[in-house]
Amino acid sequence: METSCIVLAGGKSLRLGSDKVLETIGNRSLLQLVLSCVLPLSREVIIVTASEPSIFESIDHSKLKVVTDIYPGKGPLGGIHTGLATSASFYNLVVASDMPFLNQALLRYMLQVSADFDLVVPRIGNFVEPLHAVYTKRCLAPMEEMLKQDKLMVNQLFSSVKTRYVEIEEIERFDPRHLSFFNVNTKADLKRARELARGCER
């Protein structure tokens, strides 16, 4: 099935103190690491940014499209909504731009099990990761309603659509250390990511 990927890159990077998508791990930026994982899975990749797409204009790839939030200031829910509204595909893989250890096999599996669902999302105990999930276009209408009501918690969408949780046993078949969900928010996170990458502790 044809799939697009939505990469959320609208965060302000306040805790890191710099634009984190440009921070490097090894010889590649966070954004490059994410793109290298999702491009083979996607007919197009939509990078959703808050307001300043200029830092992405140097990326030259025919599959890439950079868009700004339709509803500014609405956080990840607004970014996912913008990506879905822009996407040419019914099925859409959504990831954050600060996840350096995405696992292509796990992402592919999530796409494979998404056929009968509106939303496929990983769940480990009480932890659910909505920024590493598959959303269909059927999520657009309930998202629009949430945004109009200023209900911005993505998790509130789950009960409004047909949701499939990918449980820990499924996740650990592909990613036993759960590094897929590691994201870089602080300098300490960045340091650990670089250490993980150097040690090939994947």
Side-chain angles (χ1 to χ4, degrees), residues 37 41 101-113 120 122 124 132 164-181 201-202:
C37 182
L41 303 175
F101 304 119
L102 291 174
N103 184 301
Q104 197 174 91
L106 175 58
L107 294 172
R108 198 179 296 277
Y109 174 76
M110 290 174 59
L111 289 168
Q112 288 170 352
V113 301
V120 177
I124 302 172
H132 183 292
R164 158 75 150 89
Y165 294 99
V166 178
E167 305 291 1
I168 187 168
E169 297 83 5
E170 298 170 277
I171 293 166
E172 290 184 347
R173 283 163 50 191
F174 306 98
D175 183 7
R177 299 185 63 195
H178 309 164
L179 288 178
S180 292
F181 316 117
E201 298 177 29
R202 300 293 294 275

Side-chain angles (χ1 to χ4, degrees), residues 13-114:
S13 305
L14 295 178
R15 284 183 281 174
L16 195 62
S18 60
D19 200 314
K20 59 183 169 184
V21 297
L22 302 180
E23 293 288 349
T24 56
I25 295 174
N27 60 355
R28 293 190 289 177
S29 69
L30 276 173
L31 183 62
Q32 287 171 328
L33 287 167
V34 170
L35 292 177
S36 68
C37 182
V38 300
L39 276 166
L41 303 175
S42 314
R43 65 185 290 191
E44 64 177 353
V45 174
I46 301 161
I47 300 173
V48 183
T49 182
S51 58
E52 297 180 9
S54 58
I55 64 168
F56 306 110
E57 288 175 356
S58 60
I59 301 172
D60 182 21
H61 198 290
S62 59
K63 283 188 178 183
L64 292 184
K65 182 190 302 182
V66 180
V67 299
T68 55
D69 285 325
I70 295 171
Y71 290 92
K74 299 296 185 181
L77 183 71
I80 298 168
H81 171 270
T82 296
L84 286 177
T86 306
S87 172
S89 303
F90 183 73
Y91 292 94
N92 295 270
L93 182 63
V94 172
V95 296
S97 61
D98 60 357
M99 293 175 154
F101 304 119
L102 291 174
N103 184 301
Q104 197 174 91
L106 175 58
L107 294 172
R108 198 179 296 277
Y109 174 76
M110 290 174 59
L111 289 168
Q112 288 170 352
V113 301
S114 65

Side-chain angles (χ1 to χ4, degrees), residues 141-197:
M143 279 184 173
E144 185 91 23
E145 193 61 33
M146 288 171 65
L147 287 163
K148 286 177 181 176
Q149 296 177 27
D150 216 33
K151 296 179 179 177
L152 303 182
M153 297 295 293
V154 182
N155 293 18
Q156 291 180 288
L157 174 69
F158 299 166
S159 60
S160 302
V161 297
K162 191 176 180 183
T163 299
R164 158 75 150 89
Y165 294 99
V166 178
E167 305 291 1
I168 187 168
E169 297 83 5
E170 298 170 277
I171 293 166
E172 290 184 347
R173 283 163 50 191
F174 306 98
D175 183 7
R177 299 185 63 195
H178 309 164
L179 288 178
S180 292
F181 316 117
F182 180 97
N183 61 329
V184 176
N185 286 315
T186 66
K187 291 181 179 178
D189 294 336
L190 184 60
K191 180 182 177 183
R192 183 175 176 231
R194 286 169 174 162
E195 289 169 350
L196 287 165

